[in-house]
Short mmCIF file of all heavy atoms in Angstrom, two decimals:
data_model
loop_
_atom_site.label_atom_id
_atom_site.label_comp_id
_atom_site.label_asym_id
_atom_site.label_seq_id
_atom_site.Cartn_x
_atom_site.Cartn_y
_atom_site.Cartn_z
N ILE A 938 118.94 101.24 121.03
CA ILE A 938 117.58 100.97 121.53
C ILE A 938 117.28 101.86 122.73
O ILE A 938 116.18 102.41 122.86
CB ILE A 938 117.44 99.47 121.87
CG1 ILE A 938 117.57 98.63 120.61
CG2 ILE A 938 116.12 99.20 122.56
CD1 ILE A 938 117.68 97.14 120.87
N HIS A 939 118.27 102.00 123.60
CA HIS A 939 118.08 102.88 124.77
C HIS A 939 117.78 104.30 124.33
O HIS A 939 116.88 104.98 124.87
CB HIS A 939 119.33 102.83 125.64
CG HIS A 939 119.25 103.68 126.85
ND1 HIS A 939 120.35 104.33 127.38
CD2 HIS A 939 118.20 104.05 127.63
CE1 HIS A 939 119.99 105.02 128.44
NE2 HIS A 939 118.69 104.87 128.62
N ARG A 940 118.52 104.80 123.34
CA ARG A 940 118.30 106.16 122.86
C ARG A 940 116.92 106.31 122.23
O ARG A 940 116.26 107.35 122.37
CB ARG A 940 119.39 106.53 121.86
CG ARG A 940 119.32 108.01 121.45
CD ARG A 940 120.51 108.44 120.62
NE ARG A 940 120.54 107.77 119.33
CZ ARG A 940 121.45 106.86 118.97
NH1 ARG A 940 122.41 106.50 119.81
NH2 ARG A 940 121.42 106.30 117.78
N LEU A 941 116.47 105.26 121.52
CA LEU A 941 115.13 105.30 120.93
C LEU A 941 114.06 105.46 122.01
O LEU A 941 113.13 106.27 121.87
CB LEU A 941 114.86 104.02 120.13
CG LEU A 941 115.63 103.83 118.82
CD1 LEU A 941 115.38 102.45 118.25
CD2 LEU A 941 115.23 104.89 117.81
N PHE A 942 114.19 104.71 123.09
CA PHE A 942 113.20 104.81 124.17
C PHE A 942 113.28 106.17 124.86
O PHE A 942 112.26 106.75 125.22
CB PHE A 942 113.42 103.68 125.18
CG PHE A 942 112.72 102.39 124.80
CD1 PHE A 942 113.40 101.37 124.17
CD2 PHE A 942 111.38 102.21 125.08
CE1 PHE A 942 112.77 100.18 123.83
CE2 PHE A 942 110.74 101.03 124.75
CZ PHE A 942 111.43 100.01 124.11
N VAL A 943 114.48 106.66 125.06
CA VAL A 943 114.64 107.97 125.73
C VAL A 943 113.99 109.07 124.90
O VAL A 943 113.24 109.92 125.43
CB VAL A 943 116.13 108.25 125.98
CG1 VAL A 943 116.33 109.70 126.41
CG2 VAL A 943 116.68 107.31 127.02
N ASN A 944 114.23 109.07 123.59
CA ASN A 944 113.63 110.08 122.73
C ASN A 944 112.11 109.98 122.72
O ASN A 944 111.40 110.98 122.71
CB ASN A 944 114.18 109.97 121.31
CG ASN A 944 115.65 110.34 121.23
OD1 ASN A 944 116.15 111.07 122.09
ND2 ASN A 944 116.34 109.84 120.22
N ALA A 945 111.62 108.76 122.69
CA ALA A 945 110.16 108.57 122.70
C ALA A 945 109.56 109.05 124.01
O ALA A 945 108.48 109.66 124.02
CB ALA A 945 109.83 107.10 122.45
N GLN A 946 110.24 108.78 125.12
CA GLN A 946 109.74 109.23 126.41
C GLN A 946 109.71 110.75 126.50
O GLN A 946 108.75 111.34 127.00
CB GLN A 946 110.63 108.67 127.54
CG GLN A 946 110.35 107.21 127.88
CD GLN A 946 109.00 107.05 128.52
OE1 GLN A 946 108.03 106.67 127.86
NE2 GLN A 946 108.91 107.33 129.82
N ARG A 947 110.75 111.37 126.01
CA ARG A 947 110.80 112.84 126.07
C ARG A 947 109.74 113.45 125.17
O ARG A 947 109.14 114.47 125.52
CB ARG A 947 112.18 113.33 125.66
CG ARG A 947 113.25 112.96 126.67
CD ARG A 947 114.53 113.71 126.38
NE ARG A 947 115.40 113.70 127.53
CZ ARG A 947 116.35 114.59 127.76
NH1 ARG A 947 116.54 115.58 126.90
NH2 ARG A 947 117.11 114.52 128.83
N ALA A 948 109.53 112.85 124.01
CA ALA A 948 108.48 113.36 123.12
C ALA A 948 107.11 113.17 123.73
O ALA A 948 106.22 114.03 123.60
CB ALA A 948 108.56 112.65 121.77
N ALA A 949 106.89 112.03 124.41
CA ALA A 949 105.59 111.77 125.02
C ALA A 949 105.32 112.72 126.18
O ALA A 949 104.18 113.13 126.40
CB ALA A 949 105.52 110.32 125.49
N LEU A 950 106.36 113.07 126.95
CA LEU A 950 106.18 113.93 128.11
C LEU A 950 106.49 115.40 127.81
O LEU A 950 106.62 116.21 128.73
CB LEU A 950 107.08 113.45 129.25
CG LEU A 950 106.80 112.02 129.73
CD1 LEU A 950 107.81 111.60 130.79
CD2 LEU A 950 105.38 111.90 130.27
N LEU A 951 106.66 115.70 126.48
CA LEU A 951 106.90 117.08 126.04
C LEU A 951 108.14 117.68 126.68
O LEU A 951 108.20 118.87 127.01
CB LEU A 951 105.68 117.97 126.32
CG LEU A 951 104.37 117.54 125.64
CD1 LEU A 951 103.25 118.48 126.03
CD2 LEU A 951 104.54 117.51 124.14
N ALA A 952 109.15 116.86 126.91
CA ALA A 952 110.41 117.36 127.45
C ALA A 952 111.30 117.81 126.30
O ALA A 952 111.19 117.34 125.17
CB ALA A 952 111.10 116.25 128.25
N PRO A 953 112.24 118.75 126.54
CA PRO A 953 113.13 119.20 125.45
C PRO A 953 114.03 118.06 124.99
O PRO A 953 114.57 117.30 125.78
CB PRO A 953 113.95 120.33 126.10
CG PRO A 953 113.86 120.06 127.58
CD PRO A 953 112.53 119.43 127.81
N LEU A 954 114.13 117.95 123.66
CA LEU A 954 114.93 116.90 123.07
C LEU A 954 116.39 117.31 123.04
O LEU A 954 116.73 118.46 122.75
CB LEU A 954 114.46 116.59 121.65
CG LEU A 954 113.05 115.97 121.54
CD1 LEU A 954 112.67 115.84 120.08
CD2 LEU A 954 113.01 114.63 122.23
N ASP A 955 117.25 116.39 123.30
CA ASP A 955 118.69 116.64 123.28
C ASP A 955 119.32 115.62 122.36
O ASP A 955 119.31 114.43 122.62
CB ASP A 955 119.27 116.50 124.69
CG ASP A 955 120.74 116.90 124.74
OD1 ASP A 955 121.28 117.34 123.71
OD2 ASP A 955 121.33 116.75 125.82
N GLU A 956 119.84 116.08 121.22
CA GLU A 956 120.38 115.15 120.23
C GLU A 956 121.60 114.42 120.77
O GLU A 956 121.88 113.28 120.41
CB GLU A 956 120.76 115.90 118.96
CG GLU A 956 119.53 116.49 118.25
CD GLU A 956 119.94 117.21 116.99
OE1 GLU A 956 121.16 117.29 116.75
OE2 GLU A 956 119.06 117.69 116.26
N ASP A 957 122.36 115.10 121.63
CA ASP A 957 123.57 114.48 122.16
C ASP A 957 123.32 113.75 123.47
O ASP A 957 124.26 113.44 124.20
CB ASP A 957 124.65 115.54 122.37
CG ASP A 957 125.02 116.20 121.06
OD1 ASP A 957 124.94 115.51 120.03
OD2 ASP A 957 125.37 117.39 121.09
N PHE A 958 122.06 113.50 123.75
CA PHE A 958 121.74 112.89 125.04
C PHE A 958 122.38 111.52 125.19
O PHE A 958 122.93 111.19 126.23
CB PHE A 958 120.21 112.78 125.16
CG PHE A 958 119.75 112.10 126.42
CD1 PHE A 958 119.73 112.78 127.62
CD2 PHE A 958 119.35 110.77 126.40
CE1 PHE A 958 119.31 112.16 128.77
CE2 PHE A 958 118.94 110.15 127.55
CZ PHE A 958 118.91 110.85 128.73
#
Side-chain angles (χ1 to χ4, degrees):
I938 295 170
H939 180 214
R940 188 172 66 249
L941 290 173
F942 275 98
V943 169
N944 293 337
Q946 281 291 99
R947 292 192 162 204
L950 300 176
L951 300 178
L954 293 175
D955 186 4
E956 295 181 356
D957 299 329
F958 177 78

